[in-house]
Amino acid sequence: MSSTDKSAVTPEYSQDRSQTSNNSDSESLSPAFESPRESVSGEERYQYDDSRKLGITSSIFLILNKMIGTGIFSTPSGIYKATGSVGVSLILWVVGGILTFTGLSVYLEFGLKIPLSGGEKNYLERVYRRPKYLASSVFLSQMILLGFSSGNSLAFGRYVLFASGRESPDEWHARGIAIACITFAIVLHSTLPKWGMRLFNILGIFKVVVLLLIVFSGFAALNGHLKIDKPNNFDNAFSFDPDMGGGVYNYATALLRIVYSYKGWENANYVLGEVRHPRKTLSIAAPLAIGGVMTLYVLANVAYFAAIPKTELANSGVIVAGLFFRNVFGDSAGARALPVFVAISNMGNVLAVSFAHARVNQELAKEGILPFSRFFASNKPFNAPAASLFLHWIVTIIVLIAPPAGEAYEFIVDLYTYPGAWINSFVAAGLIYLHLFRQKEQWNSPWHSYFPINAIYLLSNIFLAIVPFIPPDEPSTSYPFYVFPVVGVGVLILGCIYWVIWTQLLPKLGGYKVVSERKILEDGSEVVRYRKVKLS
């Protein structure tokens, strides 16, 4: 099939657009789209010149900017509070890094085989073809409703307040600054997309410098260069504080938050359609970024334990890095300015997340899965997905405003991360299935992820998905233990309900559907045409 023939009408095309399909267009149509009676078309063209595409360096910083965000500067407090042990906390950070590499192996095999924007959407569609659109609908629900930038934006606001001398734990001042942060990111990406990419490259370098500053300051703290008495947290490092968490539930919650801190390693997979030489770029950029981040994360945690007493660390909440700078450098103007650096690095994370998630929203709209598809798939007026960015902004604002004062950040982190364990489980299981039935599925990728790696990634995500439903011996948060897993699973079930309404109920009620037809032209640009199709 030539490049000009690679067209399809439905997500069947995206199940593996790198393969030749023998299905006719009518065979790939769902029952909702059969028997077209009327066609009213509109066309949208998607093309980016090389100056707008990401190379290896930009891809590394795209990954770095999402990985190094709120987590490493904020979650270590919750990790220690959940485990009650310095040694166990550090081991969990190493385990989190290992699990990230197993996930990378799985995603490299999918991404190098299907080098298109959309990430898990493409991988789930490739494996779970029946019932049609169900996997895409569940992923849509998770990505749209829970793919927000609220946690990073809130941490930005709280670090700005901390630098100004105010330590409000979770007041409306921090949320107001957070709203300004996400609004700036959305406006920049919508109107000046090239400058948005340049800025998150610059901030990627900046946040690595901030982490290196923490690491080297930690080495100084280990040698006693502190403004407080040396905490000696590494004496009896594997002892347990009876006043802290402990137990399987709290360990699973701690690991979920560590996974949140590492989250972003898959960021380049979401935008492969805007990456130069995607197979080469992804295979180089992702391992380099993850290896560097894992090393910095473990050393940064060593630095925190070297400078912050255990009790103070457990109660520090989001501003762990702020307390670290105060204990090492004192309460000087310079020390108060250092948290501003952390806030700026959080801004880089917000820029990277909004950039990538908006592209996923746009891919869902291109497939016709998202309501008001033509609007959300549009690149008008600045050749950037402004409508999809606006959708990301709306959800982020709602999640910022909705939670009550208190441990809002911890709740947002848990809610953001948890459903991903279910999605990742299905992706890993899908790859194992493709390996078992390789000939039947005609599966052959430039990268091969071995079965033990896939099994570890699958089992770890099943563990993270199930354990939060088990009541903890000693809660580490004030909100009920079952809230975030119930809400997370509820969002995934909502995707199933949406599928029933979209593919079963509406066709029976009559009317028409907006159907998208996709075609890749010889120059590499993509054309999506929308048709109103009456139902028989």
Side-chain angles (χ1 to χ4, degrees):
M1 181 182 292
S2 68
S3 60
T4 55
D5 292 330
K6 292 179 183 176
S7 63
V9 189
T10 70
E12 185 78 72
Y13 172 58
S14 68
Q15 285 164 2
D16 189 351
R17 282 168 278 181
S18 61
Q19 287 187 342
T20 299
S21 174
N22 295 321
N23 291 340
S24 66
D25 285 349
S26 61
E27 288 173 336
S28 66
L29 286 168
S30 75
F33 299 152
E34 288 176 356
S35 303
R37 303 294 187 187
E38 179 184 355
S39 177
V40 181
S41 65
E43 190 167 277
E44 183 91 23
R45 181 165 177 153
Y46 302 86
Q47 185 177 27
Y48 306 99
D49 57 52
D50 280 348
S51 66
R52 280 279 307 276
K53 290 189 175 182
L54 305 173
I56 293 175
T57 302
S58 293
S59 297
I60 288 174
F61 285 123
L62 180 69
I63 297 170
L64 282 175
N65 265 308
K66 191 175 179 186
M67 291 185 73
I68 306 175
T70 308
I72 190 59
F73 303 119
S74 305
T75 57
S77 169
I79 307 305
Y80 175 70
K81 192 174 181 181
T83 61
S85 169
V86 174
V88 171
S89 297
L90 293 175
I91 288 175
L92 286 181
W93 281 97
V94 175
V95 170
I98 294 172
L99 293 180
T100 299
F101 270 107
T102 63
L104 172 64
S105 182
V106 171
Y107 276 60
L108 275 177
E109 178 156 350
F110 273 117
L112 298 187
K113 175 63 175 176
I114 314 173
L116 301 162
S117 296
E120 294 97 333
K121 178 189 76 68
N122 298 322
Y123 315 151
L124 293 171
E125 287 174 350
R126 176 62 178 83
V127 180
Y128 303 101
R129 305 188 182 199
R130 297 290 184 275
K132 280 187 177 181
Y133 311 111
L134 179 59
S136 298
S137 298
V138 172
F139 179 72
L140 177 146
S141 182
Q142 185 256 349
M143 181 56 65
I144 299 298
L145 299 180
L146 299 180
F148 43 71
S149 298
S150 307
N152 303 298
S153 301
L154 181 60
F156 173 84
R158 294 180 70 176
Y159 267 104
V160 169
L161 289 177
F162 182 81
S164 69
R166 300 179 59 181
E167 300 182 29
S168 305
D170 187 33
E171 294 183 356
W172 286 106
H173 302 92
R175 301 192 196 196
I177 297 172
I179 291 172
C181 172
I182 183 61
T183 301
F184 167 78
I186 296 302
V187 171
L188 180 64
H189 283 319
S190 299
T191 58
L192 299 168
K194 287 185 181 180
W195 281 102
M197 291 168 55
R198 289 168 183 164
L199 184 56
F200 69 61
N201 281 349
I202 294 170
L203 294 181
I205 298 173
F206 183 82
K207 61 176 58 180
V208 170
V209 171
V210 172
L211 265 182
L212 287 172
L213 175 62
I214 291 175
V215 169
F216 286 113
S217 299
F219 291 151
L222 284 172
N223 289 322
H225 297 283
L226 289 164
K227 299 298 182 181
I228 62 170
D229 293 334
K230 190 175 181 180
N232 297 315
N233 288 333
F234 294 103
D235 296 345
N236 299 316
F238 287 93
S239 61
F240 291 87
D241 189 327
D243 297 326
M244 301 297 172
V248 176
Y249 173 88
N250 285 318
Y251 278 26
T253 302
L255 192 54
L256 264 177
R257 292 176 184 173
I258 290 172
V259 168
Y260 172 80
S261 298
Y262 280 106
K263 196 165 179 59
W265 55 267
E266 75 282 50
N267 216 26
N269 290 68
Y270 290 148
V271 297
L272 281 179
E274 296 182 41
V275 172
R276 286 194 299 271
H277 312 298
R279 289 188 171 97
K280 175 184 176 182
T281 300
L282 182 63
S283 60
I284 295 175
L288 284 177
I290 294 171
V293 168
M294 179 181 175
T295 302
L296 289 173
Y297 276 10
V298 174
L299 292 177
N301 274 274
V302 172
Y304 292 146
F305 283 117
I308 306 175
K310 294 178 182 178
T311 303
E312 191 176 355
L313 178 67
N315 296 323
S316 61
V318 176
I319 53 174
V320 177
L323 291 178
F324 171 83
F325 288 134
R326 176 184 293 176
N327 291 353
V328 174
F329 298 104
D331 197 20
S332 63
R336 288 197 300 273
L338 290 173
V340 175
F341 297 163
V342 178
I344 294 173
S345 73
N346 287 336
M347 168 66 78
N349 185 277
V350 173
L351 285 166
V353 172
S354 55
F355 177 88
H357 282 207
R359 268 66 183 175
V360 178
N361 294 347
Q362 187 182 46
E363 287 299 310
L364 291 165
K366 287 180 185 179
E367 300 288 359
I369 304 169
L370 191 64
F372 309 106
S373 293
R374 286 192 64 186
F375 174 72
F376 287 117
S378 176
N379 265 348
K380 298 176 181 177
F382 300 106
N383 199 26
S388 292
L389 284 160
F390 178 65
L391 178 61
H392 181 78
W393 180 84
I394 290 175
V395 176
T396 297
I397 296 300
I398 291 173
V399 176
L400 273 173
I401 295 174
E407 295 173 321
Y409 174 79
E410 287 79 7
F411 176 76
I412 289 172
V413 167
D414 294 338
L415 183 60
Y416 177 87
T417 313
Y418 174 75
W422 288 97
I423 298 295
N424 293 340
S425 297
F426 281 107
V427 171
L431 185 58
I432 292 173
Y433 166 80
L434 290 174
H435 284 179
L436 292 175
F437 300 95
R438 186 182 301 275
Q439 290 186 342
K440 174 186 173 184
E441 293 290 335
Q442 299 180 3
W443 181 257
N444 186 27
S445 174
W447 177 272
H448 180 72
S449 183
Y450 291 96
F451 176 79
I453 295 174
N454 304 337
I456 290 172
Y457 187 61
L458 172 62
L459 293 174
S460 64
N461 278 285
I462 291 175
F463 171 79
L464 293 174
I466 293 176
V467 169
F469 285 100
I470 302 174
D473 297 329
E474 189 70 34
S476 59
T477 60
S478 60
Y479 57 84
F481 75 93
Y482 54 81
V483 171
F484 77 83
V486 168
V487 173
V489 171
V491 168
L492 300 180
I493 293 174
L494 189 61
C496 298
I497 296 173
Y498 174 75
W499 174 81
V500 171
I501 294 173
W502 178 50
T503 65
Q504 307 297 319
L505 182 59
L506 291 181
K508 292 181 180 179
L509 295 177
Y512 64 84
K513 284 280 189 179
V514 176
V515 181
S516 62
E517 294 181 340
R518 307 174 64 126
K519 181 180 289 186
I520 308 297
L521 304 181
E522 289 182 344
D523 63 359
S525 63
E526 179 183 18
V527 172
V528 178
R529 183 175 61 197
Y530 298 91
R531 298 188 298 122
K532 290 182 178 179
V533 180
K534 278 195 173 182
L535 310 173
S536 59

